[in-house]
Amino acid sequence: MKLTHRIEGDALILNLDGQLTGGPEADQLVTKIRSAVESGIRLVILDMEGITWVNSTGLGKLIASHLSLRQSGGALRFVRVPRRIATILGVTRLNTVFEIYPTEGDARRAQLTGPPR
């Protein structure tokens, strides 16, 4: 999995590309999010458009990141989730745990209004 990032205002935006299946790249994702939390970032947006597959280890990394942000008063939001990944999130019922938005703008605006219903 390839990971690129940028900080815009109070948000860390991470673009993910490839397979989220564990290993050093998935550990890098968790480390990047933890570092952001430690530096005061409270909103992390994962652009999932380039993700082609996620397995149980990858889902575990996403859950750990979600919990880390929640404990610090922050939020982890997914944007541009491919249909295949949305299906996996639906089957595992993680679509009821994670905040999922169509665009980065929608995820940013939700910071003021809360998660979608």
Side-chain angles (χ1 to χ4, degrees):
M1 177 187 72
K2 182 179 174 187
L3 169 69
T4 57
H5 75 280
R6 69 185 194 282
I7 295 178
E8 288 189 13
D10 61 349
L12 170 65
I13 296 92
L14 296 165
N15 293 78
L16 309 178
D17 190 34
Q19 297 184 355
L20 180 53
T21 58
E25 294 88 2
D27 291 338
Q28 180 186 9
L29 171 67
V30 173
T31 300
K32 181 73 65 186
I33 291 172
R34 280 194 189 131
S35 295
V37 168
E38 290 170 4
S39 71
I41 297 283
R42 294 294 175 254
L43 176 60
V44 175
I45 298 172
L46 295 183
D47 187 331
M48 306 282 283
E49 182 181 38
I51 291 293
T52 58
W53 181 250
V54 62
N55 69 4
S56 59
T57 303
L59 291 173
K61 299 293 183 179
L62 294 174
I63 292 166
S65 298
H66 168 74
L67 293 173
S68 175
L69 276 156
R70 291 284 297 230
Q71 290 171 349
S72 70
L76 176 67
R77 299 197 171 133
F78 296 177
V79 299
R80 301 192 315 161
V81 177
R83 180 176 292 152
R84 183 176 191 187
I85 304 307
T87 299
I88 293 168
L89 294 174
V91 167
T92 59
R93 305 223 3 105
L94 287 171
N95 61 343
T96 64
V97 174
F98 296 125
E99 296 181 45
I100 302 170
Y101 297 88
T103 69
E104 186 179 317
D106 292 328
R108 286 176 142 304
R109 281 188 293 279
Q111 185 175 17
L112 302 174
T113 60
R117 299 278 178 232

